[in-house]
Amino acid sequence: MPIYFDEAKQQFHLQTSASSYIVELAKGLYPAHIYWGPKLSAERFASRLRSVARCSFHPNFIAGDESFAFDTLPQEFPSYGTGDYREPVFEAQFANGSTVTDLRYSGHAITKGKPKLKGLPATYVEQPEEADTLELWLVDKLTGLSVVLLYTVYNNLDAVIRSARFENNGSSAITLNRALSASVDFSHAEFEMLQLSGAWTRERHIFKRPLVPGINRIDSKRGSSSHQQNPFLALMSRGASEETGEVYGFSLVYSGSFLAQAEADQFGTSRVSIGIQPMDFSWLLEPGESFQTPEAVMVRSSEGLGGMSRTYHRLYRTRLCRGEFRDEARPILVNNWEATYFNFNAGKILEIAKAGQELGIELFVLDDGWFGKRNSDNCSLGDWVVDRVKLPEGLGSLGDAITSGGMQFGLWFEPEMVSPDSELYRSHPNWCLHVPDRSRTQGRRQLILDLSRSDVCDYIVESISAVLDAAPITYVKWDMNRNMTEIGSELLPAERQRETAHRYMLGLYDVMERITSRFPQILFESCSGGGGRFDPGMLHYMPQTWTSDDTDAVERLKIQYGTSIVYPASAMGAHVSAVPNHQVQRITPFETRGHVAMSGNFGYELDLTKLTEAEKSEVSHQVEQYKALRHLIQFGDFYRLMSPFEGNNTAWMFVSEDKKEAFAAYFRVLGVPNGPMNRLQLRGLDPAKLYRLEQDGQLYGGDELMHYGLSIPNLQGDFKSVLFVLREE
């Protein structure tokens, strides 16, 4: 069993595949963080928590013991009010208005497997033997507040999964004003912090900064995980690189507003905490009620960022994503959005689908504009009834015509939204998020349905299900195109209004669970203006996400490279679009656009009927090549070789689990006069194997490919790329 309790030392020793995570009960009462690092022997670990008097300004919670102060104790679940002046992980307010707590250890349990989190997405096990779980029980005897700290470790992955459950076992109501998921205290602050930040059409760029004294914070207050910040941060040891050094990752399995931060204190120690955004949050716990936080997935790597990423990829791909498509190769698609926008009819759609089928594409996706009177983005959201002017024979007939030609049929929805100009809004004007007597701020000329209401959730499930029942649909793109304002619900009492945003997320997760369970044969892809909700919470219900609305090949290098820090290629939708690019007006070669898009779930976002013969030939070649490689790309181990954030070149590669096959892609943004004759050093291969390069038939040793490398051809012009395919001889 990888979780041990040493009663004499009062220590819990959690062992992952390569790490140890050790908690000691300080004074036998307060869970304190001792160690998180390379795996240690549970039997031989002799170190103990050290307490030293540091400063007369440190209150001593235990009278007469000046060496014990919460302000220096490396706590597992810190509170505020009894002498710890650093950021707390929770705050509870009691009937008398006070917010002081004294949580003390009351017991624990160690079990096989991993419990489900009620109403929340989470990682999971298929067999109890895959993981072990520790429950640490804490109680504040004066108020009856209890907290259960949950820790799960997988046997074959270097990850610790944490969350907390608050229970009111007292006689009076308790209000949670802050309820984060996890906190870890490190013994030093000599770290760089890495975050994934950006904007719409520029998501998940990599930023690094050294920790400085005070709070180093990223967050979202938008009601979603957001384009601007991803619910993830990593601490890197000074000098850590892609393949070397210690890295600690923190990823939140949640899709709403969040907080992630690293605090460096006066003594050179640091505290990382992550969870639901405390701003405008509270939760009323009546006696007997409980509140479960989302889980934080914590990954340690002694093999740099690459090692951390590959752990996240494997865990999220195999034990967060679910359903029939988790392990299946994803289809190559064509989406009509950038080809037609709202201006189409059934004839035009069938022309594009027929052109796609002739080129070997497997799935046609009908995007926005097929319902209500949707000729622009100012109406009809919520009215999920087919537009008989554009599609006089209906969706079923259109779907039958497409599938009879050998393609699959997919459809776009934006189920969480309502247009003020819609039959739904005219019938139910108070079904949206709003505050009485306040203006209703619109974004993209739409409002957000109040998913904290069960009647609204039921409407979404039934209206979307009716459409999916009426046509041969095997793919759904689930979009969400604005952030929350006026976050209030007509059905919640005043004391629960600040629960609205989280209740919305619980409602969304319930809707997605019901719909995806009802239609297991459909591949669902999430979207929020592209990557505005690219987070682990969504992947639990939908195994892939539209990575960004920006389809420019050059910008996608940074977006896809940054996204890969946490998320696997199987989660990334990546398409070839027309040039000049619709987002940045850049003109890039068709080949390069294909090579970038082939590094995710491949597809096209253009009018196939307007392609030249040369372009059609290129599409056929790309489709054939991707079909031969997609299992490797979607399910292989990913290695970042050259960073677009550090120079003019980008490279990455995929290696099969058995190391018999590899695919590498190299990209040069701008041409360089009299540039160097570069070589690309590969990673992840078996040094003892011989590999044949598909392009020229040459044999290379795995050791040679990793240490000497492959010569990059002399590329002419801007925005050039080259692929390398290697197979064991």
Side-chain angles (χ1 to χ4, degrees), residues 16-41:
T16 71
S17 61
S19 297
S20 286
Y21 187 100
I22 302 175
V23 177
E24 182 175 322
L25 297 174
K27 304 296 184 182
L29 298 173
Y30 303 106
H33 182 75
I34 303 302
Y35 176 83
W36 186 18
K39 194 170 186 176
L40 303 174
S41 167

PDB file of all heavy atoms in Angstrom, residues 16-41:
ATOM      1  N   THR A  16       3.969   7.974  -4.409  1.00  0.00           N
ATOM      2  CA  THR A  16       3.551   7.829  -5.794  1.00  0.00           C
ATOM      3  C   THR A  16       4.563   6.926  -6.495  1.00  0.00           C
ATOM      4  O   THR A  16       5.421   6.320  -5.851  1.00  0.00           O
ATOM      5  CB  THR A  16       3.493   9.197  -6.482  1.00  0.00           C
ATOM      6  OG1 THR A  16       4.828   9.683  -6.667  1.00  0.00           O
ATOM      7  CG2 THR A  16       2.708  10.202  -5.658  1.00  0.00           C
ATOM      8  N   SER A  17       4.527   6.881  -7.802  1.00  0.00           N
ATOM      9  CA  SER A  17       5.472   6.038  -8.531  1.00  0.00           C
ATOM     10  C   SER A  17       6.905   6.495  -8.342  1.00  0.00           C
ATOM     11  O   SER A  17       7.830   5.689  -8.386  1.00  0.00           O
ATOM     12  CB  SER A  17       5.118   6.030 -10.022  1.00  0.00           C
ATOM     13  OG  SER A  17       5.194   7.352 -10.549  1.00  0.00           O
ATOM     14  N   ALA A  18       7.129   7.802  -8.111  1.00  0.00           N
ATOM     15  CA  ALA A  18       8.502   8.299  -8.007  1.00  0.00           C
ATOM     16  C   ALA A  18       8.700   9.323  -6.898  1.00  0.00           C
ATOM     17  O   ALA A  18       9.795   9.863  -6.766  1.00  0.00           O
ATOM     18  CB  ALA A  18       8.924   8.918  -9.343  1.00  0.00           C
ATOM     19  N   SER A  19       7.668   9.610  -6.115  1.00  0.00           N
ATOM     20  CA  SER A  19       7.774  10.663  -5.103  1.00  0.00           C
ATOM     21  C   SER A  19       7.238  10.193  -3.762  1.00  0.00           C
ATOM     22  O   SER A  19       6.471   9.232  -3.673  1.00  0.00           O
ATOM     23  CB  SER A  19       6.988  11.909  -5.541  1.00  0.00           C
ATOM     24  OG  SER A  19       7.520  12.468  -6.708  1.00  0.00           O
ATOM     25  N   SER A  20       7.650  10.925  -2.728  1.00  0.00           N
ATOM     26  CA  SER A  20       7.059  10.785  -1.398  1.00  0.00           C
ATOM     27  C   SER A  20       6.456  12.128  -0.999  1.00  0.00           C
ATOM     28  O   SER A  20       7.017  13.197  -1.299  1.00  0.00           O
ATOM     29  CB  SER A  20       8.111  10.380  -0.365  1.00  0.00           C
ATOM     30  OG  SER A  20       8.480   9.030  -0.505  1.00  0.00           O
ATOM     31  N   TYR A  21       5.317  12.054  -0.341  1.00  0.00           N
ATOM     32  CA  TYR A  21       4.627  13.237   0.186  1.00  0.00           C
ATOM     33  C   TYR A  21       4.326  12.915   1.642  1.00  0.00           C
ATOM     34  O   TYR A  21       3.606  11.955   1.935  1.00  0.00           O
ATOM     35  CB  TYR A  21       3.343  13.486  -0.609  1.00  0.00           C
ATOM     36  CG  TYR A  21       2.613  14.768  -0.298  1.00  0.00           C
ATOM     37  CD1 TYR A  21       2.744  15.877  -1.118  1.00  0.00           C
ATOM     38  CD2 TYR A  21       1.767  14.869   0.804  1.00  0.00           C
ATOM     39  CE1 TYR A  21       2.059  17.057  -0.854  1.00  0.00           C
ATOM     40  CE2 TYR A  21       1.088  16.036   1.080  1.00  0.00           C
ATOM     41  CZ  TYR A  21       1.236  17.131   0.247  1.00  0.00           C
ATOM     42  OH  TYR A  21       0.562  18.294   0.514  1.00  0.00           O
ATOM     43  N   ILE A  22       4.901  13.682   2.567  1.00  0.00           N
ATOM     44  CA  ILE A  22       4.857  13.313   3.983  1.00  0.00           C
ATOM     45  C   ILE A  22       4.187  14.410   4.793  1.00  0.00           C
ATOM     46  O   ILE A  22       4.521  15.601   4.666  1.00  0.00           O
ATOM     47  CB  ILE A  22       6.270  13.029   4.530  1.00  0.00           C
ATOM     48  CG1 ILE A  22       6.921  11.910   3.704  1.00  0.00           C
ATOM     49  CG2 ILE A  22       6.216  12.636   6.000  1.00  0.00           C
ATOM     50  CD1 ILE A  22       8.365  11.621   4.084  1.00  0.00           C
ATOM     51  N   VAL A  23       3.236  13.997   5.627  1.00  0.00           N
ATOM     52  CA  VAL A  23       2.492  14.887   6.514  1.00  0.00           C
ATOM     53  C   VAL A  23       2.706  14.415   7.946  1.00  0.00           C
ATOM     54  O   VAL A  23       2.574  13.218   8.238  1.00  0.00           O
ATOM     55  CB  VAL A  23       0.984  14.881   6.179  1.00  0.00           C
ATOM     56  CG1 VAL A  23       0.204  15.756   7.162  1.00  0.00           C
ATOM     57  CG2 VAL A  23       0.745  15.325   4.738  1.00  0.00           C
ATOM     58  N   GLU A  24       3.024  15.344   8.844  1.00  0.00           N
ATOM     59  CA  GLU A  24       3.165  15.007  10.265  1.00  0.00           C
ATOM     60  C   GLU A  24       2.118  15.771  11.066  1.00  0.00           C
ATOM     61  O   GLU A  24       1.803  16.932  10.761  1.00  0.00           O
ATOM     62  CB  GLU A  24       4.558  15.377  10.767  1.00  0.00           C
ATOM     63  CG  GLU A  24       4.792  15.020  12.232  1.00  0.00           C
ATOM     64  CD  GLU A  24       6.219  15.282  12.679  1.00  0.00           C
ATOM     65  OE1 GLU A  24       7.151  15.040  11.877  1.00  0.00           O
ATOM     66  OE2 GLU A  24       6.413  15.736  13.823  1.00  0.00           O
ATOM     67  N   LEU A  25       1.576  15.114  12.080  1.00  0.00           N
ATOM     68  CA  LEU A  25       0.627  15.766  12.969  1.00  0.00           C
ATOM     69  C   LEU A  25       1.410  16.522  14.040  1.00  0.00           C
ATOM     70  O   LEU A  25       1.926  15.932  14.991  1.00  0.00           O
ATOM     71  CB  LEU A  25      -0.309  14.741  13.607  1.00  0.00           C
ATOM     72  CG  LEU A  25      -1.209  13.978  12.635  1.00  0.00           C
ATOM     73  CD1 LEU A  25      -1.984  12.892  13.362  1.00  0.00           C
ATOM     74  CD2 LEU A  25      -2.161  14.933  11.913  1.00  0.00           C
ATOM     75  N   ALA A  26       1.546  17.830  13.877  1.00  0.00           N
ATOM     76  CA  ALA A  26       2.257  18.642  14.857  1.00  0.00           C
ATOM     77  C   ALA A  26       1.494  18.624  16.171  1.00  0.00           C
ATOM     78  O   ALA A  26       0.275  18.845  16.194  1.00  0.00           O
ATOM     79  CB  ALA A  26       2.396  20.077  14.337  1.00  0.00           C
ATOM     80  N   LYS A  27       2.210  18.331  17.254  1.00  0.00           N
ATOM     81  CA  LYS A  27       1.599  18.195  18.579  1.00  0.00           C
ATOM     82  C   LYS A  27       0.513  17.115  18.582  1.00  0.00           C
ATOM     83  O   LYS A  27      -0.346  17.086  19.464  1.00  0.00           O
ATOM     84  CB  LYS A  27       0.986  19.525  19.050  1.00  0.00           C
ATOM     85  CG  LYS A  27       1.950  20.692  19.087  1.00  0.00           C
ATOM     86  CD  LYS A  27       3.061  20.484  20.094  1.00  0.00           C
ATOM     87  CE  LYS A  27       3.971  21.702  20.187  1.00  0.00           C
ATOM     88  NZ  LYS A  27       5.097  21.490  21.131  1.00  0.00           N
ATOM     89  N   GLY A  28       0.551  16.241  17.554  1.00  0.00           N
ATOM     90  CA  GLY A  28      -0.467  15.208  17.432  1.00  0.00           C
ATOM     91  C   GLY A  28      -1.809  15.731  16.986  1.00  0.00           C
ATOM     92  O   GLY A  28      -2.796  14.976  16.957  1.00  0.00           O
ATOM     93  N   LEU A  29      -1.880  17.033  16.578  1.00  0.00           N
ATOM     94  CA  LEU A  29      -3.174  17.672  16.331  1.00  0.00           C
ATOM     95  C   LEU A  29      -3.288  18.372  14.979  1.00  0.00           C
ATOM     96  O   LEU A  29      -4.367  18.391  14.382  1.00  0.00           O
ATOM     97  CB  LEU A  29      -3.454  18.713  17.432  1.00  0.00           C
ATOM     98  CG  LEU A  29      -3.568  18.193  18.863  1.00  0.00           C
ATOM     99  CD1 LEU A  29      -3.666  19.364  19.829  1.00  0.00           C
ATOM    100  CD2 LEU A  29      -4.779  17.282  18.994  1.00  0.00           C
ATOM    101  N   TYR A  30      -2.190  18.980  14.501  1.00  0.00           N
ATOM    102  CA  TYR A  30      -2.274  19.878  13.354  1.00  0.00           C
ATOM    103  C   TYR A  30      -1.477  19.313  12.180  1.00  0.00           C
ATOM    104  O   TYR A  30      -0.251  19.189  12.265  1.00  0.00           O
ATOM    105  CB  TYR A  30      -1.744  21.264  13.726  1.00  0.00           C
ATOM    106  CG  TYR A  30      -2.467  21.865  14.908  1.00  0.00           C
ATOM    107  CD1 TYR A  30      -1.852  21.929  16.164  1.00  0.00           C
ATOM    108  CD2 TYR A  30      -3.770  22.338  14.784  1.00  0.00           C
ATOM    109  CE1 TYR A  30      -2.516  22.465  17.255  1.00  0.00           C
ATOM    110  CE2 TYR A  30      -4.443  22.881  15.874  1.00  0.00           C
ATOM    111  CZ  TYR A  30      -3.813  22.932  17.109  1.00  0.00           C
ATOM    112  OH  TYR A  30      -4.485  23.453  18.187  1.00  0.00           O
ATOM    113  N   PRO A  31      -2.144  18.948  11.054  1.00  0.00           N
ATOM    114  CA  PRO A  31      -1.423  18.394   9.900  1.00  0.00           C
ATOM    115  C   PRO A  31      -0.423  19.398   9.344  1.00  0.00           C
ATOM    116  O   PRO A  31      -0.779  20.524   8.967  1.00  0.00           O
ATOM    117  CB  PRO A  31      -2.533  18.103   8.884  1.00  0.00           C
ATOM    118  CG  PRO A  31      -3.788  18.034   9.685  1.00  0.00           C
ATOM    119  CD  PRO A  31      -3.603  18.990  10.816  1.00  0.00           C
ATOM    120  N   ALA A  32       0.840  18.991   9.312  1.00  0.00           N
ATOM    121  CA  ALA A  32       1.914  19.859   8.837  1.00  0.00           C
ATOM    122  C   ALA A  32       2.635  19.176   7.680  1.00  0.00           C
ATOM    123  O   ALA A  32       2.823  17.952   7.675  1.00  0.00           O
ATOM    124  CB  ALA A  32       2.892  20.179   9.964  1.00  0.00           C
ATOM    125  N   HIS A  33       3.051  19.976   6.710  1.00  0.00           N
ATOM    126  CA  HIS A  33       3.723  19.443   5.524  1.00  0.00           C
ATOM    127  C   HIS A  33       5.213  19.280   5.813  1.00  0.00           C
ATOM    128  O   HIS A  33       5.892  20.241   6.177  1.00  0.00           O
ATOM    129  CB  HIS A  33       3.522  20.377   4.337  1.00  0.00           C
ATOM    130  CG  HIS A  33       4.140  19.883   3.075  1.00  0.00           C
ATOM    131  ND1 HIS A  33       3.586  18.865   2.334  1.00  0.00           N
ATOM    132  CD2 HIS A  33       5.270  20.246   2.430  1.00  0.00           C
ATOM    133  CE1 HIS A  33       4.348  18.626   1.282  1.00  0.00           C
ATOM    134  NE2 HIS A  33       5.383  19.451   1.316  1.00  0.00           N
ATOM    135  N   ILE A  34       5.736  18.076   5.652  1.00  0.00           N
ATOM    136  CA  ILE A  34       7.134  17.776   5.952  1.00  0.00           C
ATOM    137  C   ILE A  34       7.981  17.675   4.694  1.00  0.00           C
ATOM    138  O   ILE A  34       9.094  18.207   4.631  1.00  0.00           O
ATOM    139  CB  ILE A  34       7.247  16.451   6.749  1.00  0.00           C
ATOM    140  CG1 ILE A  34       6.413  16.536   8.016  1.00  0.00           C
ATOM    141  CG2 ILE A  34       8.703  16.146   7.076  1.00  0.00           C
ATOM    142  CD1 ILE A  34       6.808  17.670   8.928  1.00  0.00           C
ATOM    143  N   TYR A  35       7.434  17.018   3.652  1.00  0.00           N
ATOM    144  CA  TYR A  35       8.309  16.698   2.507  1.00  0.00           C
ATOM    145  C   TYR A  35       7.457  16.368   1.298  1.00  0.00           C
ATOM    146  O   TYR A  35       6.411  15.719   1.402  1.00  0.00           O
ATOM    147  CB  TYR A  35       9.179  15.494   2.869  1.00  0.00           C
ATOM    148  CG  TYR A  35      10.072  14.979   1.750  1.00  0.00           C
ATOM    149  CD1 TYR A  35      11.299  15.562   1.485  1.00  0.00           C
ATOM    150  CD2 TYR A  35       9.684  13.884   0.976  1.00  0.00           C
ATOM    151  CE1 TYR A  35      12.127  15.087   0.465  1.00  0.00           C
ATOM    152  CE2 TYR A  35      10.494  13.397  -0.040  1.00  0.00           C
ATOM    153  CZ  TYR A  35      11.717  14.010  -0.294  1.00  0.00           C
ATOM    154  OH  TYR A  35      12.529  13.529  -1.288  1.00  0.00           O
ATOM    155  N   TRP A  36       7.935  16.846   0.137  1.00  0.00           N
ATOM    156  CA  TRP A  36       7.416  16.405  -1.167  1.00  0.00           C
ATOM    157  C   TRP A  36       8.598  16.418  -2.115  1.00  0.00           C
ATOM    158  O   TRP A  36       9.112  17.463  -2.476  1.00  0.00           O
ATOM    159  CB  TRP A  36       6.308  17.329  -1.651  1.00  0.00           C
ATOM    160  CG  TRP A  36       5.624  16.878  -2.905  1.00  0.00           C
ATOM    161  CD1 TRP A  36       5.623  15.627  -3.461  1.00  0.00           C
ATOM    162  CD2 TRP A  36       4.811  17.695  -3.755  1.00  0.00           C
ATOM    163  NE1 TRP A  36       4.868  15.606  -4.599  1.00  0.00           N
ATOM    164  CE2 TRP A  36       4.350  16.861  -4.809  1.00  0.00           C
ATOM    165  CE3 TRP A  36       4.430  19.033  -3.741  1.00  0.00           C
ATOM    166  CZ2 TRP A  36       3.527  17.342  -5.823  1.00  0.00           C
ATOM    167  CZ3 TRP A  36       3.610  19.516  -4.758  1.00  0.00           C
ATOM    168  CH2 TRP A  36       3.160  18.675  -5.792  1.00  0.00           C
ATOM    169  N   GLY A  37       9.080  15.235  -2.457  1.00  0.00           N
ATOM    170  CA  GLY A  37      10.269  15.136  -3.289  1.00  0.00           C
ATOM    171  C   GLY A  37      10.488  13.718  -3.762  1.00  0.00           C
ATOM    172  O   GLY A  37       9.559  12.889  -3.753  1.00  0.00           O
ATOM    173  N   PRO A  38      11.703  13.380  -4.204  1.00  0.00           N
ATOM    174  CA  PRO A  38      11.986  12.024  -4.686  1.00  0.00           C
ATOM    175  C   PRO A  38      11.581  10.972  -3.662  1.00  0.00           C
ATOM    176  O   PRO A  38      11.644  11.188  -2.450  1.00  0.00           O
ATOM    177  CB  PRO A  38      13.499  12.047  -4.902  1.00  0.00           C
ATOM    178  CG  PRO A  38      13.810  13.476  -5.185  1.00  0.00           C
ATOM    179  CD  PRO A  38      12.879  14.272  -4.331  1.00  0.00           C
ATOM    180  N   LYS A  39      11.193   9.818  -4.161  1.00  0.00           N
ATOM    181  CA  LYS A  39      10.638   8.758  -3.322  1.00  0.00           C
ATOM    182  C   LYS A  39      11.640   8.305  -2.259  1.00  0.00           C
ATOM    183  O   LYS A  39      12.815   8.077  -2.540  1.00  0.00           O
ATOM    184  CB  LYS A  39      10.236   7.577  -4.211  1.00  0.00           C
ATOM    185  CG  LYS A  39       9.353   6.541  -3.538  1.00  0.00           C
ATOM    186  CD  LYS A  39       8.823   5.564  -4.581  1.00  0.00           C
ATOM    187  CE  LYS A  39       7.819   4.598  -4.015  1.00  0.00           C
ATOM    188  NZ  LYS A  39       7.265   3.723  -5.077  1.00  0.00           N
ATOM    189  N   LEU A  40      11.135   8.180  -1.027  1.00  0.00           N
ATOM    190  CA  LEU A  40      11.945   7.759   0.114  1.00  0.00           C
ATOM    191  C   LEU A  40      11.406   6.459   0.682  1.00  0.00           C
ATOM    192  O   LEU A  40      10.247   6.097   0.455  1.00  0.00           O
ATOM    193  CB  LEU A  40      11.922   8.832   1.209  1.00  0.00           C
ATOM    194  CG  LEU A  40      12.379  10.240   0.822  1.00  0.00           C
ATOM    195  CD1 LEU A  40      12.153  11.190   1.990  1.00  0.00           C
ATOM    196  CD2 LEU A  40      13.836  10.247   0.392  1.00  0.00           C
ATOM    197  N   SER A  41      12.239   5.789   1.456  1.00  0.00           N
ATOM    198  CA  SER A  41      11.804   4.577   2.147  1.00  0.00           C
ATOM    199  C   SER A  41      10.917   4.966   3.324  1.00  0.00           C
ATOM    200  O   SER A  41      11.313   5.759   4.182  1.00  0.00           O
ATOM    201  CB  SER A  41      13.017   3.789   2.648  1.00  0.00           C
ATOM    202  OG  SER A  41      12.613   2.795   3.558  1.00  0.00           O
TER     203      SER A  41
END
